Amino acid sequence: MTIKRKRIAILTGGGDCPGINAVIRAVAKKAMLEKKMEVIGIEDGYHGIIDNRYRTLDYNDASGILTLGGTLLGTSKTANPYRYALQKGNRLEFKNLSKIAIKNLKNLGLDALVCIGGDGTLGIAYRLFKDGIPIVGVPKTIDNDLRGTDITFGFHSAVSIATEGIDRIHTTAESLHRIMIVEVMGHKAGWIALYSGVAGGGDIILIPEIPYHLQTIAEKVRERNTKGKRFSIVVIAEGAKPKGGDIVIQRFVQESPDPIRLGGIGFLLGKQIEKATGLETRTVVMGHLLRGGSPIPFDRILATSLGTKAVDLIEDKKFGYMVGIKENSLIAFPLKEVAKGPKLIPFNHPMIKASRSIGTSFGD
Ligand code: F6P
């Protein structure tokens, strides 16, 4: 009697992030080598499902990619089968193409679809699951803002790049006695700013979770100057905002599940600090640099653990779940809960407490 090989597909959605290829490798290798499954790669996120763009992956596709940044499958931050953007002349029209997506997926005869992505991708994955597709999620984002996991892969690589940026900025800040502002990504959460700010010895760390007062920042900078520290480093999350004020929106991407793109708060704050203190202030925006390049060893290990665990979930037919890490153990977390909003930094986070105790200001 011949046993039918299981067939799974992998899709990557949302922004690129160090470690995606390491997850693809882990899922595909374990599925192929240990479970004798057939593995398909869907191209460009949910676009590939609508357009039937996919390819069978063989062992060589999954090999030699552990250290590579980006995603070999391509990705999309805008494709959403439930609200699919179609260009009509010079305007966009939105259509629910989920029936096409489901039909195409069913035609592929999949035993499971592994969706690697952040809140947008996994929110769509949950809807597909409710519509009958056997889905397993893997949490991906440099922002570390996903519920159900203590850490997302890519986060520590981004922190490491941001920290190197802050270290390098110190040189100019100290030599020219300037205030240097380093703006980092993180969307509506301050995880990257907090971790890189602590690791880089930022004097002031500004995160969305703690709205700041310009006056507090100006006083801190002046106080450092009187104490002989003639420079200050401010690490600010792109989603930070003044108390009673607003976030700075860089652009709207109409066709995206989350259309707001943040960026620019660092420049605004820089002008305000310079005016308030009379001290020369410059801003550097790290932006997409944080998403590029090779994952650090921690993320390679995390990606391998999460990817192989995803295959276990498939074997156990535990669909509608995302793999995650809780207190150093691999867990399965319901996708339904992931979609309930971002995981923000709690007010009493031990790292905030520790930083305050060594004189770091949060601008509040
Ligand atoms: O979610 C990852 C992230 O890099 C956020 O930190 C940032 O706000 C956003 O994506 C930027 O998106 P885009 O690549 O569309 O500019």
Side-chain angles (χ1 to χ4, degrees), residues 77 141-143 185-187 238 261 288 291:
K77 288 195 77 164
T141 170
I142 61 165
D143 302 338
M185 281 187 167
H187 205 45
E238 61 179 0
R261 296 292 179 273
H288 295 87
R291 296 216 306 239

Side-chain angles (χ1 to χ4, degrees), residues 127-182:
R127 293 184 76 174
L128 287 171
F129 165 70
K130 284 198 295 179
D131 284 336
I133 305 298
I135 300 238
V136 169
V138 182
K140 169 239 64 155
T141 170
I142 61 165
D143 302 338
N144 195 37
D145 63 348
L146 279 183
R147 280 166 192 256
T149 186
D150 290 340
I151 305 178
T152 52
F153 74 85
F155 168 61
H156 277 291
S157 296
V159 168
S160 159
I161 300 162
T163 304
E164 191 183 343
I166 298 165
D167 289 349
R168 286 177 186 275
I169 286 298
H170 258 94
T171 312
T172 303
E174 284 203 67
S175 309
L176 286 156
H177 318 298
R178 282 182 185 162
I179 298 163
M180 295 297 291
I181 300 181
V182 181

Side-chain angles (χ1 to χ4, degrees), residues 302 305-306 308-309 323-326 328-332:
L302 183 57
S305 306
L306 293 172
T308 50
K309 174 77 178 175
V323 291
I325 294 271
K326 277 277 164 188
N328 286 326
S329 295
L330 286 164
I331 56 145

